[in-house]
Amino acid sequence: MKKLSETSESLREKIIGLGEHSIRKHYYTSLQEQFDELERFRALLDQSKEMIFLGLDGCLMDVNQTASSFYKLPKEKMLGSTYESVFPACITNKIAYLFEEAKYHDALTLETQIKKTPIEFTLQIILFRHVPYVVLFGTDITKRKEAEEEIHRLGNYDPLTHLPNKNMLNERLFGLKQSCSKGQNCGASCQYLEGCKYSALLLIDLDHFKELNDTEGHNQGDVFLKELARRLGDLLSRGDFLCRFGGDEFIVLMESLHVELSQTISIVESFAYTLKTSINQPISLGHTTHLCSSSIGVVIFRKGQTGDVIKQAEIAMYEAKNSGRNTIRFYDPKMQEAIKHKVSIETSLRRALKKNALELYYQPKVDATQKIIALEALIRWHHLEQGFIPPSEFIPLAEENGLIIPLGAWVIKTACLQLARWSLDEKTSSLTIAVNLSIKQLQSEAFIATIERILEATKCPKEKLIFEITETLFMGDVDAMVSKMHQIKSMGIRFSIDDFGTGYSSLSAIKKIPLDELKIDQSFTQDIKHHTDEAVIIHTIVGMAKNLGLRVVAEGVETKEQFTFLKRAGCHVFQGYLFSKPLPLEALEKIL
């Protein structure tokens, strides 16, 4: 039976007892939750890929499992260790710096190596209840470093030969310039000039290397380049720098050779010949061997003059190519001036063509009675600043850069317009005009369409137009040229072969070409009086032309004796200064 009443003392004790039990129960739960949270936090720290260190008063008070595993020490042995016994000096110095400067909460990042492993550390001092703790995070960056090295290798080294590439060369040249005592381009005012040593750059270009790739395949070409790179590397002295500059080009940089230019030239010349001789030795390609020569361009310079050395070496190398290959050429400033002049002429020529600032001169051709029956159109250029520029200077340039195509089209169109005008006048309607044709024009796929368009636009009497070709035509794909010439011939245009007897023509080739006329080269007419060989050659050419049904034109006729001989030999048409030099249109029409 339940008691009806309790004393106040017993009730008080019961209430207190209940309170203590409730409080104990509450704090136990709270503490348990905190322990669980700490265990979760510890587990997360231990599973982190980063090493984590917590320090206080110069010693480690906690580390995670990653740090323990890296150092291969149990946590217990690491705790209490001084910073100096765990970290390299660069880390401990930074910790001291942060304390000295009171840089709390500022994070510092730096890279170092521990046990030959690259580690990136982030460290900072954190105040907790006014107590400064040191916190360090360490990350193994081995893979990142390997990736960076691979990127650097791909960007700076040739994948085939494993030599440095042009990026590394530019860095090397930049470093050389930075090492200059004055740090700027050398000049007469440079106080360090007297003691400055000369350096040299040699550009090696393999001659006809494309033929190896074409005949043996690119794999064999690669084998050759790798072996050649090894051979060149064996010739270097300490401090020399070798790189693969391009497909079949290598560069050697020789730094700080000698203060005397003459001594430097001697050193470099000797080494260049050593390079050339070594390259000339055969290289085994397994089932065969390959011989190769080289053209080497050399430039000698001081440290502060690195800006244009590669361009200058290229100029010297091309000079070696033009000198027959398998040779060495040193850069001469005159070469650079020639290049600049060439570029200037090309730019001006493009401008002149665009502005219609060129002119056609006409040189008369006469028959046996010295009556003008035909003309040869010759392009002339009067430069506004440089005056008359001879065709021998700008025509080869136009051939080289492809400008001969639009230039040739302009000549043909201008001649056709003139023929159309003359056809309206009874005095000039029988005249023909010969236009010199470049082989590159014939090789152009658009040439036939260009001719058709010009003929349609000018309404030119086609039979009055003659194209003069040279014997260089026989050096290329004769069948392709002949096919195109037959198409042109079908339009009504005639063909003449110029400078006959000095080139590569043969009877079989001439029989293929739809010729109407043959011009005897002027070299045979010059010495008719003194050399009987020339007379025999002329008689032979005239006889051959007669049998082939070709008209014969003798050019370069300058004397009456030559004219008389050529008439008797059977020539039909004559051209030369004896009759007239090339004339502008206005002067020509006065004598027609």
Coordinates of all heavy atoms in Angstrom, one line a residue, residues 210-278:
K210 N 65.7 15.0 -99.0 CA 64.4 14.6 -99.5 C 64.5 13.4 -100.4 O 63.6 12.5 -100.4 CB 63.7 15.8 -100.3 CG 62.3 15.5 -100.7 CD 61.7 16.7 -101.4 CE 60.2 16.4 -101.8 NZ 60.2 15.4 -102.9
E211 N 65.6 13.2 -101.1 CA 65.7 12.1 -102.0 C 65.8 10.8 -101.2 O 65.3 9.7 -101.6 CB 67.0 12.2 -102.8 CG 66.9 13.4 -103.8 CD 68.2 13.5 -104.6 OE1 69.1 12.7 -104.4 OE2 68.3 14.5 -105.4
L212 N 66.4 10.8 -100.0 CA 66.4 9.6 -99.2 C 65.0 9.2 -98.7 O 64.6 8.1 -98.8 CB 67.3 9.9 -97.9 CG 67.3 8.8 -96.9 CD1 67.8 7.5 -97.4 CD2 68.2 9.2 -95.7
N213 N 64.2 10.2 -98.3 CA 62.9 9.9 -97.8 C 62.0 9.4 -99.0 O 61.2 8.5 -98.8 CB 62.2 11.2 -97.3 CG 62.6 11.5 -95.9 OD1 63.0 10.6 -95.1 ND2 62.6 12.8 -95.5
D214 N 62.3 10.0 -100.2 CA 61.5 9.6 -101.4 C 61.8 8.2 -101.8 O 60.9 7.4 -102.3 CB 61.7 10.6 -102.5 CG 61.0 11.9 -102.2 OD1 60.2 12.0 -101.3 OD2 61.4 12.9 -102.9
T215 N 63.1 7.8 -101.7 CA 63.5 6.5 -102.3 C 63.5 5.4 -101.2 O 63.1 4.2 -101.6 CB 65.0 6.6 -102.8 OG1 65.8 7.1 -101.8 CG2 65.0 7.5 -104.0
E216 N 63.9 5.7 -100.0 CA 63.9 4.6 -99.0 C 62.8 4.7 -98.0 O 62.6 3.8 -97.2 CB 65.3 4.7 -98.2 CG 66.5 4.5 -99.1 CD 66.6 3.1 -99.6 OE1 66.1 2.2 -98.9 OE2 67.2 2.9 -100.7
G217 N 62.1 5.8 -98.0 CA 61.0 5.9 -97.0 C 61.3 6.8 -95.8 O 62.5 6.9 -95.5
H218 N 60.3 7.3 -95.1 CA 60.6 8.2 -94.0 C 61.2 7.5 -92.8 O 61.9 8.0 -92.0 CB 59.3 8.9 -93.6 CG 58.9 10.0 -94.5 ND1 59.3 11.3 -94.5 CD2 58.1 9.9 -95.6 CE1 58.8 12.0 -95.4 NE2 58.0 11.2 -96.2
N219 N 60.9 6.2 -92.7 CA 61.5 5.4 -91.5 C 63.0 5.4 -91.7 O 63.7 5.5 -90.7 CB 60.9 4.0 -91.5 CG 59.5 4.0 -91.0 OD1 59.0 4.9 -90.4 ND2 58.7 2.9 -91.3
Q220 N 63.5 5.1 -92.9 CA 64.9 5.1 -93.1 C 65.5 6.5 -92.9 O 66.6 6.6 -92.4 CB 65.2 4.5 -94.5 CG 65.0 3.0 -94.6 CD 65.9 2.2 -93.8 OE1 65.8 2.1 -92.6 NE2 66.8 1.5 -94.4
G221 N 64.8 7.5 -93.3 CA 65.2 8.9 -93.1 C 65.4 9.2 -91.7 O 66.3 9.8 -91.3
D222 N 64.4 8.7 -90.9 CA 64.5 8.9 -89.4 C 65.7 8.2 -88.8 O 66.4 8.7 -87.9 CB 63.2 8.4 -88.7 CG 62.0 9.3 -89.0 OD1 62.2 10.4 -89.5 OD2 60.9 8.8 -88.7
V223 N 66.0 7.0 -89.3 CA 67.2 6.2 -88.8 C 68.5 7.0 -89.1 O 69.4 7.2 -88.3 CB 67.3 4.8 -89.5 CG1 68.6 4.2 -89.1 CG2 66.1 4.0 -89.0
F224 N 68.5 7.6 -90.3 CA 69.7 8.4 -90.7 C 69.8 9.6 -89.8 O 70.9 9.9 -89.4 CB 69.5 8.8 -92.2 CG 70.6 9.7 -92.7 CD1 71.7 9.1 -93.3 CD2 70.6 11.1 -92.6 CE1 72.8 9.8 -93.8 CE2 71.7 11.8 -93.1 CZ 72.8 11.2 -93.7
L225 N 68.7 10.3 -89.6 CA 68.8 11.5 -88.7 C 69.3 11.2 -87.3 O 70.0 12.0 -86.7 CB 67.5 12.2 -88.7 CG 67.0 12.9 -90.0 CD1 65.6 13.4 -89.9 CD2 68.0 14.1 -90.4
K226 N 68.8 10.1 -86.8 CA 69.1 9.8 -85.4 C 70.6 9.4 -85.3 O 71.3 9.8 -84.4 CB 68.3 8.6 -84.9 CG 66.9 9.0 -84.6 CD 66.1 7.9 -83.8 CE 65.8 6.7 -84.7 NZ 64.9 5.8 -84.0
E227 N 71.1 8.7 -86.3 CA 72.5 8.3 -86.3 C 73.4 9.6 -86.5 O 74.5 9.7 -85.9 CB 72.8 7.3 -87.4 CG 74.3 6.9 -87.6 CD 74.9 6.4 -86.3 OE1 74.2 5.9 -85.4 OE2 76.2 6.6 -86.2
L228 N 72.9 10.5 -87.4 CA 73.7 11.7 -87.7 C 73.8 12.6 -86.4 O 74.8 13.2 -86.1 CB 73.1 12.4 -88.8 CG 73.8 13.7 -89.3 CD1 75.2 13.4 -89.8 CD2 73.1 14.5 -90.3
A229 N 72.6 12.6 -85.7 CA 72.6 13.4 -84.5 C 73.6 12.9 -83.5 O 74.3 13.7 -82.8 CB 71.2 13.4 -83.9
R230 N 73.7 11.6 -83.4 CA 74.6 11.0 -82.4 C 76.1 11.3 -82.9 O 76.9 11.6 -82.1 CB 74.5 9.4 -82.4 CG 75.3 8.7 -81.4 CD 75.5 7.3 -81.7 NE 76.1 7.1 -83.0 CZ 77.4 7.2 -83.2 NH1 78.2 7.6 -82.3 NH2 77.9 7.0 -84.5
R231 N 76.3 11.2 -84.2 CA 77.7 11.5 -84.7 C 78.1 12.9 -84.5 O 79.2 13.2 -84.1 CB 77.7 11.2 -86.2 CG 79.0 11.3 -86.9 CD 79.0 11.0 -88.4 NE 78.7 9.6 -88.6 CZ 78.6 9.1 -89.9 NH1 78.8 9.9 -90.9 NH2 78.4 7.9 -90.1
L232 N 77.1 13.9 -84.7 CA 77.4 15.3 -84.5 C 77.7 15.5 -83.0 O 78.6 16.3 -82.6 CB 76.3 16.1 -85.0 CG 76.0 16.1 -86.5 CD1 74.8 17.0 -86.8 CD2 77.2 16.6 -87.3
G233 N 76.9 14.9 -82.1 CA 77.1 15.1 -80.7 C 78.4 14.6 -80.2 O 79.0 15.3 -79.3
D234 N 79.0 13.6 -80.9 CA 80.3 13.1 -80.5 C 81.4 14.1 -80.8 O 82.5 14.0 -80.3 CB 80.6 11.8 -81.2 CG 79.7 10.6 -80.6 OD1 79.2 10.8 -79.5 OD2 79.6 9.6 -81.3
L235 N 81.1 15.0 -81.7 CA 82.2 16.0 -82.1 C 82.2 17.2 -81.2 O 83.1 18.1 -81.4 CB 81.9 16.4 -83.6 CG 82.0 15.3 -84.6 CD1 81.6 15.9 -86.0 CD2 83.3 14.7 -84.7
L236 N 81.2 17.4 -80.4 CA 81.1 18.6 -79.6 C 82.2 18.7 -78.5 O 82.5 17.7 -77.9 CB 79.7 18.8 -79.0 CG 78.5 18.8 -79.9 CD1 77.3 19.0 -79.1 CD2 78.7 19.9 -81.0
S237 N 82.6 19.9 -78.2 CA 83.5 20.1 -77.1 C 82.6 20.5 -75.9 O 81.4 20.9 -76.0 CB 84.5 21.2 -77.3 OG 85.3 20.9 -78.4
R238 N 83.1 20.5 -74.7 CA 82.4 20.9 -73.5 C 81.9 22.3 -73.6 O 82.6 23.2 -74.0 CB 83.3 20.8 -72.3 CG 82.5 21.0 -71.0 CD 83.4 20.7 -69.8 NE 82.7 20.9 -68.5 CZ 83.2 20.8 -67.3 NH1 84.5 20.4 -67.2 NH2 82.5 21.0 -66.3
G239 N 80.6 22.5 -73.4 CA 80.0 23.9 -73.5 C 79.4 24.1 -74.9 O 78.6 25.1 -75.0
D240 N 79.7 23.3 -75.9 CA 79.0 23.5 -77.2 C 77.5 23.0 -77.1 O 77.2 22.1 -76.3 CB 79.7 22.7 -78.3 CG 81.1 23.2 -78.6 OD1 81.3 24.4 -78.2 OD2 81.9 22.5 -79.3
F241 N 76.7 23.6 -77.9 CA 75.2 23.3 -77.8 C 74.8 22.8 -79.2 O 75.0 23.5 -80.2 CB 74.5 24.5 -77.4 CG 73.0 24.4 -77.4 CD1 72.3 23.8 -76.3 CD2 72.2 24.8 -78.4 CE1 70.9 23.7 -76.3 CE2 70.8 24.7 -78.4 CZ 70.2 24.1 -77.3
L242 N 74.2 21.6 -79.3 CA 73.7 21.1 -80.5 C 72.1 21.0 -80.4 O 71.6 20.5 -79.5 CB 74.3 19.7 -80.8 CG 73.7 18.9 -82.0 CD1 74.0 19.6 -83.3 CD2 74.3 17.5 -82.0
C243 N 71.4 21.4 -81.5 CA 70.0 21.3 -81.5 C 69.5 20.9 -82.9 O 70.2 21.1 -83.9 CB 69.3 22.5 -81.0 SG 69.1 23.8 -82.3
R244 N 68.4 20.2 -82.9 CA 67.8 20.0 -84.3 C 66.9 21.1 -84.5 O 65.9 21.4 -83.8 CB 67.0 18.7 -84.2 CG 66.4 18.3 -85.6 CD 65.6 17.0 -85.6 NE 65.0 16.7 -86.9 CZ 64.0 15.9 -87.1 NH1 63.5 15.3 -86.1 NH2 63.6 15.6 -88.4
F245 N 67.2 21.9 -85.6 CA 66.5 23.1 -85.9 C 65.3 23.0 -86.7 O 64.3 23.7 -86.6 CB 67.5 24.1 -86.6 CG 67.0 25.5 -86.7 CD1 66.7 26.3 -85.6 CD2 66.7 26.0 -88.0 CE1 66.2 27.6 -85.7 CE2 66.2 27.3 -88.1 CZ 66.0 28.1 -87.0
G246 N 65.3 21.9 -87.6 CA 64.2 21.7 -88.5 C 64.2 20.3 -89.0 O 65.0 19.4 -88.4
G247 N 63.5 20.0 -90.1 CA 63.5 18.6 -90.6 C 64.9 18.0 -90.8 O 65.2 17.0 -90.3
D248 N 65.7 18.7 -91.7 CA 67.0 18.2 -91.9 C 68.1 19.2 -91.6 O 69.1 19.3 -92.3 CB 67.1 17.7 -93.4 CG 66.8 18.9 -94.4 OD1 66.4 19.9 -93.9 OD2 67.1 18.7 -95.6
E249 N 67.8 20.1 -90.6 CA 68.7 21.1 -90.2 C 69.1 21.0 -88.8 O 68.3 20.7 -87.9 CB 68.0 22.5 -90.4 CG 67.8 22.9 -91.9 CD 67.2 24.2 -92.0 OE1 66.4 24.7 -91.1 OE2 67.4 24.9 -93.1
F250 N 70.4 21.2 -88.5 CA 70.9 21.2 -87.2 C 71.7 22.5 -86.9 O 72.2 23.1 -87.9 CB 71.9 20.0 -87.0 CG 71.2 18.6 -87.1 CD1 71.0 18.1 -88.4 CD2 70.7 18.0 -86.0 CE1 70.4 16.8 -88.5 CE2 70.1 16.7 -86.1 CZ 69.9 16.2 -87.4
I251 N 71.8 22.9 -85.7 CA 72.5 24.1 -85.3 C 73.5 23.7 -84.2 O 73.1 23.0 -83.2 CB 71.6 25.2 -84.9 CG1 71.0 25.9 -86.1 CG2 72.3 26.3 -84.0 CD1 70.1 27.1 -85.9
V252 N 74.7 24.2 -84.3 CA 75.7 24.1 -83.3 C 76.0 25.5 -82.8 O 76.3 26.4 -83.6 CB 77.0 23.4 -83.7 CG1 78.0 23.4 -82.6 CG2 76.7 22.0 -84.2
L253 N 75.9 25.8 -81.5 CA 76.2 27.0 -80.9 C 77.5 26.9 -80.1 O 77.6 26.0 -79.2 CB 75.1 27.5 -80.0 CG 75.3 28.8 -79.2 CD1 75.5 30.0 -80.1 CD2 74.2 29.1 -78.2
M254 N 78.5 27.6 -80.4 CA 79.8 27.6 -79.7 C 80.0 28.9 -79.0 O 80.1 30.0 -79.6 CB 81.0 27.4 -80.7 CG 80.8 26.2 -81.6 SD 82.0 26.1 -83.0 CE 83.5 25.6 -82.1
E255 N 80.0 28.9 -77.7 CA 80.0 30.1 -76.9 C 81.4 30.5 -76.4 O 82.2 29.6 -76.1 CB 79.1 29.9 -75.6 CG 77.6 29.6 -76.0 CD 76.8 29.5 -74.7 OE1 77.3 29.8 -73.6 OE2 75.6 29.0 -74.9
S256 N 81.6 31.8 -76.3 CA 82.8 32.4 -75.7 C 84.1 31.7 -76.1 O 84.8 31.1 -75.4 CB 82.7 32.3 -74.2 OG 81.5 33.0 -73.7
L257 N 84.4 31.9 -77.4 CA 85.6 31.1 -78.0 C 86.9 31.9 -77.8 O 87.8 31.3 -77.3 CB 85.3 30.9 -79.5 CG 84.1 30.0 -79.8 CD1 83.9 29.9 -81.3 CD2 84.4 28.6 -79.3
H258 N 86.9 33.2 -78.2 CA 88.2 33.9 -78.1 C 87.9 35.4 -78.3 O 86.9 35.8 -78.9 CB 89.1 33.5 -79.2 CG 90.6 33.7 -78.9 ND1 91.2 34.9 -79.1 CD2 91.6 32.9 -78.5 CE1 92.4 34.9 -78.7 NE2 92.7 33.6 -78.4
V259 N 88.7 36.2 -77.7 CA 88.6 37.7 -77.8 C 89.0 38.2 -79.2 O 88.6 39.3 -79.6 CB 89.3 38.4 -76.7 CG1 88.7 38.1 -75.3 CG2 90.8 38.1 -76.7
E260 N 89.9 37.5 -79.8 CA 90.4 37.9 -81.1 C 89.5 37.3 -82.2 O 89.3 36.1 -82.3 CB 91.8 37.5 -81.3 CG 92.8 38.1 -80.4 CD 93.0 39.6 -80.7 OE1 92.7 40.0 -81.9 OE2 93.4 40.4 -79.8
L261 N 89.1 38.1 -83.2 CA 88.2 37.6 -84.3 C 88.9 36.6 -85.1 O 88.4 35.6 -85.5 CB 87.7 38.8 -85.1 CG 86.8 38.5 -86.3 CD1 85.6 37.8 -85.8 CD2 86.5 39.7 -87.1
S262 N 90.2 36.9 -85.5 CA 91.0 36.0 -86.4 C 91.1 34.6 -85.7 O 91.0 33.6 -86.4 CB 92.3 36.6 -86.7 OG 93.1 36.8 -85.5
Q263 N 91.4 34.6 -84.4 CA 91.5 33.3 -83.7 C 90.1 32.6 -83.7 O 90.1 31.4 -83.9 CB 92.0 33.5 -82.3 CG 93.4 34.0 -82.2 CD 94.4 32.9 -82.7 OE1 94.2 31.7 -82.4 NE2 95.5 33.3 -83.3
T264 N 89.1 33.3 -83.5 CA 87.7 32.7 -83.5 C 87.4 32.1 -84.8 O 86.9 31.0 -84.9 CB 86.7 33.8 -83.1 OG1 87.0 34.4 -81.9 CG2 85.3 33.2 -83.0
I265 N 87.7 32.9 -85.9 CA 87.4 32.3 -87.3 C 88.2 31.0 -87.5 O 87.7 30.1 -88.0 CB 87.8 33.4 -88.3 CG1 86.8 34.6 -88.2 CG2 87.8 32.8 -89.7 CD1 87.2 35.7 -89.1
S266 N 89.5 31.0 -87.1 CA 90.3 29.8 -87.2 C 89.7 28.6 -86.5 O 89.6 27.5 -87.0 CB 91.7 30.1 -86.7 OG 92.5 28.9 -86.8
I267 N 89.2 28.8 -85.3 CA 88.6 27.8 -84.5 C 87.4 27.2 -85.1 O 87.2 26.0 -85.3 CB 88.3 28.3 -83.0 CG1 89.6 28.6 -82.3 CG2 87.5 27.2 -82.3 CD1 89.4 29.4 -81.0
V268 N 86.5 28.2 -85.5 CA 85.2 27.8 -86.1 C 85.4 27.1 -87.5 O 84.7 26.2 -87.8 CB 84.3 29.0 -86.2 CG1 83.0 28.7 -86.9 CG2 84.0 29.6 -84.8
E269 N 86.3 27.7 -88.3 CA 86.5 27.1 -89.6 C 87.0 25.7 -89.5 O 86.5 24.8 -90.2 CB 87.5 27.9 -90.4 CG 87.7 27.5 -91.8 CD 88.6 28.5 -92.6 OE1 89.6 29.0 -91.9 OE2 88.3 28.8 -93.7
S270 N 87.9 25.4 -88.6 CA 88.4 24.1 -88.4 C 87.3 23.1 -87.9 O 87.1 22.0 -88.5 CB 89.5 24.1 -87.3 OG 89.9 22.8 -87.0
F271 N 86.4 23.6 -87.0 CA 85.3 22.7 -86.5 C 84.3 22.5 -87.6 O 83.8 21.4 -87.8 CB 84.7 23.4 -85.3 CG 83.5 22.6 -84.8 CD1 83.7 21.4 -84.1 CD2 82.2 23.1 -84.8 CE1 82.7 20.7 -83.6 CE2 81.2 22.4 -84.3 CZ 81.4 21.2 -83.7
A272 N 84.0 23.5 -88.4 CA 83.0 23.4 -89.5 C 83.5 22.4 -90.5 O 82.7 21.5 -91.0 CB 82.8 24.8 -90.2
Y273 N 84.8 22.3 -90.8 CA 85.3 21.3 -91.8 C 85.2 19.9 -91.1 O 85.0 18.9 -91.8 CB 86.7 21.7 -92.2 CG 86.7 22.6 -93.4 CD1 87.0 24.0 -93.2 CD2 86.4 22.2 -94.7 CE1 87.0 24.9 -94.3 CE2 86.4 23.1 -95.7 CZ 86.7 24.4 -95.5 OH 86.7 25.3 -96.6
T274 N 85.4 19.9 -89.8 CA 85.3 18.6 -89.2 C 83.9 18.1 -89.3 O 83.6 16.9 -89.5 CB 85.7 18.7 -87.7 OG1 87.1 19.1 -87.6 CG2 85.6 17.4 -86.9
L275 N 82.9 19.0 -89.0 CA 81.5 18.6 -89.2 C 81.2 18.1 -90.6 O 80.6 17.1 -90.8 CB 80.6 19.8 -88.9 CG 80.5 20.3 -87.4 CD1 79.7 21.6 -87.3 CD2 79.8 19.2 -86.6
K276 N 81.6 18.9 -91.6 CA 81.3 18.5 -93.0 C 81.9 17.2 -93.3 O 81.3 16.4 -94.0 CB 81.9 19.6 -93.9 CG 81.5 19.5 -95.4 CD 81.9 20.7 -96.2 CE 83.3 20.7 -96.5 NZ 83.6 19.6 -97.6
T277 N 83.2 17.0 -92.9 CA 83.8 15.7 -93.2 C 83.1 14.5 -92.6 O 82.9 13.5 -93.2 CB 85.3 15.7 -92.7 OG1 86.0 16.8 -93.3 CG2 86.0 14.4 -93.1
S278 N 82.7 14.7 -91.3 CA 81.9 13.7 -90.6 C 80.6 13.4 -91.3 O 80.2 12.2 -91.5 CB 81.7 14.1 -89.2 OG 81.0 13.1 -88.5

